[in-house]
């Protein structure tokens, strides 16, 4: 880790030896032209992580650099970046928010990031260790036959480092968002939900309440942006937070998460669909209706009953998330998150065999240590790719995103006794893999 960090910082300061000039183009484009002060937090972190990840930065270093740069940015007087006040026709006077010119303020953020990198390169300190419960994450996403890709996802094993949390509780965050009517709502939620979650005082003691509050806050924030920019999109979403040995899943709509323990599928949640009896009753009690038009739809429009956005159908399409929490006992294999493009074509009970099939695919034909090394390096791509390909072959035409978060080493799963769910005492190098985690 130390050598990798030194190497990256050297390359980065070679590319950015000094602050960006006022008239020079930004090396990465901001998500928005205007941002509120509350939105600045998420958009700056997204911008910084995108810049660093594209240049091969170690994940923990990226999180620490972005956190340090954002902390410095928020201490500055940002009033010089305020947009001229405008009275929008679709915005009530009392709801007007102070907006910042995004490109200008993000230039300052990137210059803070460059300054931090230069300082760390010149006075190198041994980097903070990676999360000790490192979890290998396999992700794959395809547009499939749809005209546009409207899915977004985020894997953040460095949750604490990104937000400067030092309470001794290890955290990792994973989420998938399935947009409809455009990608704006999915992009917005992927940028801001984890930020809103990090600000909840009850995060450690009551993750479910923290998640519900964060979803609600993100929906309210997107409502303001949708009014300003006349956006009409929505997104379902599912997010998982792992805190030490506690796993909390929160969801809106029909994106899903499932757990596999000892090779068996475990239900974590019940997706929100208009035809679900309690959802149907809720909507009818509000004066809405559920109609069948190729599929069940809310008031003849959206095929989802809960989502971020879709403000023309609120409160029928609810922004209130549901949550469930379980304690991990150590015998869990992995958590899988996916959008409905996957689950509409694949039964959850088929997932364990599909993952095992992917793990058992041949590695390096030379065998030996090279095969072991290659298997570990490509596992992150192969498992999710196999699941996505299966869903497509099974008839899914929708965008498909699949994320597999391994709670045990994939190589341990290969050596697992199917009758007991425990690792067999074989001659393979499982212990070497576990030691790397």
């Amino acid at each position: 880790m130390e050598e990798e960090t030194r190497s990256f910082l050297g390359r980065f300061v070679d590319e950015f030896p000094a602050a960006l000039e006022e008239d020079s183009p930004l090396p990465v484009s901001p998500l928005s032209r205007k941002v509120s002060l509350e939105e600045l937090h998420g958009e700056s972190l997204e911008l910084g992580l995108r810049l660093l990840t594209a240049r091969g930065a170690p994940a923990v270093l990226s999180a620490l650099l972005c956190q340090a740069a954002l902390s410095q940015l928020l201490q500055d007087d940002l009033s010089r970046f305020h947009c001229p006040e405008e009275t929008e026709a679709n915005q009530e006077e009392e709801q007007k928010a102070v907006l910042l010119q995004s490109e200008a303020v993000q230039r300052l953020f990137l210059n803070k990031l460059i300054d931090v990198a230069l300082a760390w390169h010149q006075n190198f300190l041994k980097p903070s260790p990676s999360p000790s419960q490192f979890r290998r994450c396999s992700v794959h996403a395809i547009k499939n036959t749809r005209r546009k890709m409207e899915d977004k996802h985020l894997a953040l094993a460095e949750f604490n480092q990104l937000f400067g949390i030092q309470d001794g509780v290890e955290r990792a965050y994973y989420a998938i968002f399935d947009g409809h009517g455009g990608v704006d709502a999915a992009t917005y939620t992927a940028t801001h939900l984890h930020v809103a979650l990090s600000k909840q005082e009850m995060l450690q003691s009551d993750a479910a309440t923290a998640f519900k509050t964060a979803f609600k806050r993100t929906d309210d924030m997107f409502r303001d942006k949708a009014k300003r920019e006349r956006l009409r999109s929505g997104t379902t979403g599912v997010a998982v937070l792992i805190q030490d040995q506690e796993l909390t899943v929160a969801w809106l709509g029909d994106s899903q998460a499932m757990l596999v323990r000892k090779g068996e599928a475990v239900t974590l949640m019940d997706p929100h669909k208009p035809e679900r009896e309690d959802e149907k009753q809720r909507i009818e009690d509000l004066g809405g209706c559920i109609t069948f038009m190729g599929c069940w739809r809310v008031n003849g429009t959206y095929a989802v009953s809960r989502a971020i956005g879709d403000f023309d159908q609120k409160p029928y399409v609810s922004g209130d998330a549901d949550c469930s929490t379980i304690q991990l006992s150590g015998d869990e294999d992995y958590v899988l998150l996916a959008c409905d493009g996957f689950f509409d074509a694949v039964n959850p009970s088929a997932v364990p065999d599909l993952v095992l099939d992917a793990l058992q695919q041949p590695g390096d034909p030379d065998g030996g240590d090279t095969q072991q090394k290659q298997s570990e390096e490509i596992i992150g791509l192969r498992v999710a790719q196999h699941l996505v390909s299966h869903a497509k072959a099974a008839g899914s035409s929708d965008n498909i995103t699949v994320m597999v978060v391994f709670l045990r080493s994939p190589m341990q799963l290969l050596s697992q006794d199917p009758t007991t769910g425990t690792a067999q005492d074989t001659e393979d190098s499982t212990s070497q893999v576990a030691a790397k985690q």
Side-chain angles (χ1 to χ4, degrees):
M1 173 64 181
E2 181 175 341
E3 181 179 348
E4 188 181 8
T5 298
R6 286 183 183 273
S7 175
F8 173 78
L9 288 173
R11 297 195 309 272
F12 189 77
V13 300
D14 283 346
E15 182 179 359
F16 300 103
L20 302 172
E21 298 292 339
E22 286 295 327
D23 56 351
S24 64
L26 297 183
V28 60
S29 299
L31 291 176
S32 306
R33 292 188 305 107
K34 300 177 182 180
V35 293
S36 68
L37 189 59
E38 187 173 11
E39 291 170 334
L40 180 63
H41 195 159
E43 295 217 5
S44 295
L45 292 177
E46 189 278 338
L47 189 78
L49 291 175
R50 187 154 34 102
L51 174 78
L52 295 168
T53 300
R55 286 157 175 77
V60 172
L61 178 63
S62 291
L64 293 170
L65 284 169
C66 289
Q67 196 278 326
L70 182 65
S71 295
Q72 292 186 16
L73 178 72
L74 296 180
Q75 293 174 17
D76 272 28
D77 178 6
L78 303 179
S79 60
R80 65 186 185 278
F81 301 114
H82 287 182
C83 296
E85 290 190 9
E86 298 176 0
T87 302
E88 300 286 352
N90 64 334
Q91 191 173 31
E92 297 293 336
E93 187 71 24
E94 63 271 15
Q95 293 180 330
K96 286 174 60 178
V98 174
L99 300 179
L100 307 174
Q101 299 170 5
S102 187
E103 182 171 346
V105 73
Q106 296 297 9
R107 184 185 305 277
L108 177 60
F109 168 73
L110 291 176
N111 283 335
K112 300 285 188 185
L113 187 65
I114 292 169
D115 288 344
V116 172
L118 287 168
W120 289 7
H121 177 63
Q122 293 169 359
N123 302 289
F124 186 81
L125 298 176
K126 189 174 181 179
S128 301
S130 300
S132 62
Q133 294 184 4
F134 172 77
R135 307 180 195 282
R136 188 174 294 276
C137 182
S138 174
V139 188
H140 191 59
I142 63 170
K143 179 168 65 74
N144 209 359
T145 64
R146 292 296 178 90
R147 187 168 62 89
K148 294 182 178 180
M149 180 57 166
E150 296 177 334
D151 288 357
K152 292 292 180 181
H153 65 267
L154 179 63
L156 189 58
E158 304 77 26
F159 187 91
N160 285 351
Q161 288 86 347
L162 187 63
F163 297 113
I165 300 174
Q166 299 178 352
D167 59 0
V169 178
E170 291 199 359
R171 292 181 179 86
Y173 170 93
Y174 306 92
I176 285 176
F177 305 101
D178 181 359
H180 49 266
V183 74
D184 297 300
T187 299
Y188 194 90
T189 310
T191 302
H192 296 288
L193 177 62
H194 59 298
V195 179
L197 182 64
S198 74
K199 296 178 179 179
Q200 303 306 312
E201 292 183 358
M202 70 288 291
L203 178 62
Q204 182 177 342
S205 61
D206 187 352
T209 298
F211 250 133
K212 290 179 180 180
T213 305
F215 264 99
K216 184 65 169 64
R217 183 59 201 149
T218 304
D219 195 32
D220 289 342
M221 289 169 61
F222 184 61
R223 182 189 296 272
D224 292 339
K225 182 181 178 68
K227 286 182 178 180
R228 293 196 309 264
E229 301 182 13
R230 298 176 175 82
L231 305 176
R232 294 179 57 85
S233 61
T235 185
T236 67
V238 60
V240 166
L241 180 72
I242 302 173
Q243 296 193 112
D244 285 342
Q245 295 303 305
E246 179 183 272
L247 183 151
T248 301
V249 57
W251 71 97
L252 282 173
D254 52 11
S255 295
Q256 298 183 54
M258 59 174 286
L259 178 69
V260 173
R261 177 190 292 128
K262 297 182 180 180
E264 298 293 330
V266 178
T267 300
L268 294 177
M269 51 163 286
D270 186 9
H272 302 124
K273 296 185 177 183
E275 65 268 29
R276 206 177 90 174
E277 191 55 41
D278 58 343
E279 287 293 275
K280 180 174 181 290
Q281 188 65 52
R282 176 184 64 80
I283 293 165
E284 290 177 346
D285 288 347
L286 290 168
C289 66
I290 303 298
T291 57
F292 189 82
M293 302 173 64
C295 62
W296 291 101
R297 295 181 180 274
V298 178
N299 296 333
T301 57
Y302 300 116
V304 298
S305 59
R306 299 199 190 192
I308 296 286
D310 295 335
F311 299 115
D312 59 323
Q313 289 295 329
K314 286 284 195 295
Y316 312 108
V317 176
S318 172
D320 294 332
D322 274 337
C323 300
S324 68
T325 298
I326 68 166
Q327 296 298 316
L328 300 174
S329 58
D331 59 357
E332 294 83 9
D333 301 335
Y334 50 86
V335 180
L336 179 143
L337 296 81
C339 62
D340 69 324
F342 176 79
F343 281 111
D344 283 351
V346 180
N347 192 295
S349 63
V351 166
D353 286 342
L354 290 171
V355 171
L356 192 59
D357 287 346
L359 292 173
Q360 290 174 337
Q361 289 179 8
D364 190 327
D366 293 336
D369 292 341
T370 304
Q371 180 176 355
Q372 171 69 33
K373 181 179 179 181
Q374 191 234 24
S375 295
E376 285 297 303
E377 288 178 348
I378 70 172
I379 201 72
L381 182 63
R382 189 170 68 195
V383 173
Q385 273 187 336
H386 183 70
L387 293 166
V388 169
S389 295
H390 182 83
K392 183 176 180 180
S396 176
S397 60
D398 199 356
N399 300 155
I400 308 175
T401 300
V402 172
M403 180 183 297
V404 181
V405 182
F406 287 98
L407 304 179
R408 288 199 276 173
S409 162
M411 302 309 291
Q412 284 182 319
L413 303 185
L414 275 176
S415 62
Q416 184 169 278
D417 184 338
T419 62
T420 65
T422 59
Q424 297 177 358
D425 186 13
T426 65
E427 69 279 4
D428 68 25
S429 53
T430 299
S431 60
Q432 298 177 25
V433 177
K436 290 171 62 180
Q437 286 191 302

